[in-house]
Amino acid sequence: MFELVRTFEVDAALGVELVPLRVELFRSTKDTRRFRYRLWRLEFYRIQPSFPQEQVGLPAQTPSDEEFLVDWSAFLTGGISEFIAESVDEAVGRMADDLRSRLEASGGSMPL
């Protein structure tokens, strides 16, 4: 079992696009030196409720643009990144270094 210990928002650059990311750092409840992080991208989707309908196949409500957090862990990190650190502060540094290097390998960058 892992407990969420820190949450960050980062505006990463991928090419010319600024990508808002949410990064969550978790610590194991059994081994407090074991950490993992998950990565989420904030994206907009146009959605439209199916019901109610004015007539069959014609939704009564108009579409709307909504924000969703999309799990980006597999895309950028290849899955859940686990590592060992002696403290939460050390884990934050290791997570940031790992994320920065993975972004750079994808042609992106992350502010300090």
Side-chain angles (χ1 to χ4, degrees):
M1 187 178 318
F2 285 79
E3 175 183 23
L4 178 64
V5 291
R6 297 273 172 90
T7 306
F8 301 93
E9 285 196 3
V10 176
D11 289 329
L14 285 176
V16 296
E17 182 182 4
L18 276 180
V19 178
L21 300 176
R22 177 185 171 105
V23 187
E24 298 173 332
L25 179 66
F26 296 87
R27 178 173 47 196
S28 170
T29 58
K30 285 190 174 192
D31 178 0
T32 59
R33 297 177 335 117
R34 194 167 141 215
F35 292 86
R36 68 170 55 159
Y37 73 92
R38 293 189 65 92
L39 183 63
W40 303 86
R41 178 177 176 166
L42 183 62
E43 295 186 9
F44 283 94
Y45 285 90
R46 179 156 294 165
I47 62 171
Q48 183 172 22
S50 299
F51 297 97
Q53 294 188 355
E54 290 180 2
Q55 52 186 310
V56 176
L58 183 62
Q61 297 178 353
T62 59
S64 65
D65 293 335
E66 301 295 333
E67 290 181 321
F68 290 91
L69 287 172
V70 178
D71 188 354
W72 237 36
S73 301
F75 171 77
L76 195 59
T77 66
I80 297 171
S81 296
E82 283 197 25
F83 57 93
I84 301 295
E86 297 300 321
S87 68
V88 172
D89 289 338
E90 181 184 332
V92 168
R94 297 222 18 223
M95 177 195 69
D97 290 344
D98 183 56
L99 182 55
R100 185 176 288 107
S101 69
R102 291 174 190 270
L103 280 167
E104 288 171 356
S106 298
S109 64
M110 184 174 84
L112 296 175

